[in-house]
Amino acid sequence: MLLLIALANGAGVFFANAPGIDTTPHGLERFYNVFLFLFVHARALPLFAIMFGYGLVQLARRQEAAGSTPGAIRAVLVRRNAWLFVFGIAHGILLYAGDILGAYGLIGIAFTLVLLQRGDRIYRIAVWYAGFGAVYILVLAVVVAVGIAGNPNAQTVAPTSAFPSMAADSYAAAVLTRLTEWPASMVTMLPLILFAWLGAWAARRRVLEEPANHRRLLRGGVMVGFGVAVLGGLPMGLLSGGFLPVDAATGTWIKVLYESSGLFGGIGYVSLFGLLALRLSKAMASPRSNVVVGALTALGQRSLSGYLFQSVAWLVLASPFVLALDEKAASPTFAAAGSAVAVWLVTVVGAYVMERCSYRGPAEILLRRLTYGRRWRGSATTSPTRS
């Protein structure tokens, strides 16, 4: 997940636009743009949201197993998500306006108070929502197909939105811009509660903890999820790569189609990871015996620290007032991609070192202490929650 987030956010900060593309690509950059819209942009965020909802149920289940009452469980989760929202304020204003922590904090509070301890009927609504989404995407695909066929000689670039804070010429100016940019971005992410809802449905069935019992569901999730995501993102990818001539109105519908199909990309990734976990179950049973699995597991246990580290890296690498690699690189597209992979690898290695030293991670330690106060005495191997 963090690699996908790095690829998406790295492109956004290097080009100072959303979703994060060079609107005039050349050579292999054109094909990389297609790849981003098929597998990264609007696919990584739904994946994170699904897993966030999954984690809420896991946290509640762990508290219940420890003997907590329903009221105590709600209090812990509300407190934890309230602090997550505070983290989001600091992160979104000081480092990166595309922050997801603030929105997830509010989603977590709402989910805990309204949905968490409800019956299965409530959770099945999320599945019906996914079905409705598939029908909606089919309708959008027809609209896009008609638009493409009706304007064979038209030409427009892929529609993007400006990312002003990443173009600011000083840190102070960037912070001032993020004071308004972050709240607006956060509000647009609040509908992700529907994706978190779907993740909670899967968690109640232990789909990822017990993948052997859900092979058919996971295989179907991979095929349907990636099938819809790829077909829904293909027109936007072709448009961004300069392979598809359309007019501006059709370009707008193409963007809506790619964004709407993102949920299914998230479903595809979650299902794929579940099947991979099943295949790697022996290695995961003893992460220290496999360096790669151990390092990825370590980063998963320190995902908040890894996510925040990425934003520090973007501030240093892409800001005009620091290194400004986007202005110096021969190909900003591949500079963004290479930087994303490099930053992610640094977090993988760093997390593995922390694991070997039995150190949980700075952001995780702070969040747990704020959530549990003096009641928490956790370490890297003993903790009341793992996210």
Side-chain angles (χ1 to χ4, degrees):
M1 286 194 300
L2 287 172
L3 175 58
L4 293 170
I5 289 292
L7 290 170
N9 290 348
V13 299
F14 268 66
F15 291 105
N17 66 38
I21 53 167
D22 184 350
T23 55
T24 57
H26 302 281
L28 293 177
E29 295 172 346
R30 301 172 69 192
F31 295 94
Y32 184 71
N33 274 10
V34 176
F35 165 79
L36 286 176
F37 284 108
L38 295 185
F39 299 108
V40 178
H41 286 325
R43 276 84 181 123
L45 195 58
L47 166 62
F48 229 125
I50 291 170
M51 292 307 300
F52 178 74
Y54 202 105
L56 286 176
V57 172
Q58 287 185 312
L59 290 169
R61 186 178 290 146
R62 199 167 290 118
Q63 292 290 319
E64 185 178 15
S68 298
T69 64
I73 294 172
R74 284 195 299 270
V76 166
L77 292 183
V78 167
R79 188 161 58 246
R80 184 181 189 277
N81 284 289
W83 280 115
L84 193 64
F85 176 70
V86 174
F87 276 41
I89 295 174
H91 177 231
I93 293 175
L94 298 178
L95 294 175
Y96 178 64
D99 159 77
I100 59 175
L101 302 181
Y104 283 0
L106 294 181
I107 288 171
I109 292 172
F111 191 91
T112 299
L113 295 177
V114 179
L115 299 171
L116 184 64
Q117 295 171 333
R118 303 292 292 272
D120 283 342
R121 287 186 178 181
I122 292 295
Y123 284 87
R124 281 198 290 269
I125 292 176
V127 180
W128 284 104
Y129 166 75
F132 171 79
V135 175
Y136 177 64
I137 290 168
L138 180 61
V139 174
L140 285 175
V142 172
V143 172
V144 167
V146 171
I148 293 173
N151 298 275
N153 299 316
Q155 186 66 54
T156 187
V157 298
T160 61
S161 302
F163 199 169
S165 62
M166 291 311 304
D169 57 7
S170 70
Y171 179 69
V175 169
L176 288 175
T177 302
R178 285 193 286 266
L179 287 173
T180 54
E181 195 175 40
W182 172 73
S185 173
M186 182 192 64
V187 169
T188 65
M189 294 184 187
L190 292 180
L192 289 173
I193 190 172
L194 294 166
F195 301 177
W197 198 342
L198 186 62
W201 172 85
R204 286 169 66 93
R205 284 152 181 78
R206 299 180 181 270
V207 172
L208 297 182
E209 294 99 321
E210 302 171 356
N213 297 331
H214 301 280
R215 282 190 177 93
R216 177 179 291 184
L217 177 64
L218 292 172
R219 288 168 180 164
V222 170
M223 291 187 292
V224 175
F226 282 122
V228 174
V230 167
L231 292 176
L234 185 59
M236 186 67 171
L238 295 175
L239 176 60
S240 70
F243 299 108
L244 182 64
V246 298
D247 60 13
T250 303
T252 299
W253 284 113
I254 284 175
K255 183 180 180 183
V256 174
L257 174 62
Y258 117 82
E259 291 173 339
S260 301
S261 61
L263 168 61
F264 289 89
I267 292 172
Y269 274 120
V270 170
S271 302
L272 176 63
F273 294 159
L275 292 175
L276 288 175
L278 180 61
R279 180 67 63 88
L280 296 171
S281 57
K282 291 183 179 180
M284 295 180 71
S286 180
R288 286 179 179 265
S289 66
N290 186 299
V291 174
V292 174
V293 173
L296 293 175
T297 301
L299 181 57
Q301 295 170 353
R302 296 160 181 82
S303 56
L304 181 57
S305 294
Y307 171 70
L308 293 173
F309 177 83
Q310 288 187 13
S311 296
V312 176
W314 306 141
L315 186 68
V316 173
L317 297 175
S319 295
F321 50 87
V322 191
L323 295 182
L325 291 185
D326 57 310
E327 299 175 3
K328 301 173 183 177
S331 172
T333 294
F334 292 120
S339 297
V341 174
V343 168
W344 175 74
L345 286 174
V346 169
T347 61
V348 172
V349 174
Y352 185 67
V353 172
M354 291 181 196
E355 176 68 20
R356 300 290 292 185
C357 297
S358 297
Y359 180 69
R360 168 62 66 181
E364 285 74 19
I365 290 174
L366 179 58
L367 180 58
R368 284 161 173 75
R369 286 179 177 170
L370 292 170
T371 300
Y372 297 96
R374 294 182 178 180
R375 291 185 295 138
W376 181 64
R377 293 293 184 270
S379 67
T381 55
T382 59
S383 169
T385 60
R386 288 173 61 183
S387 58

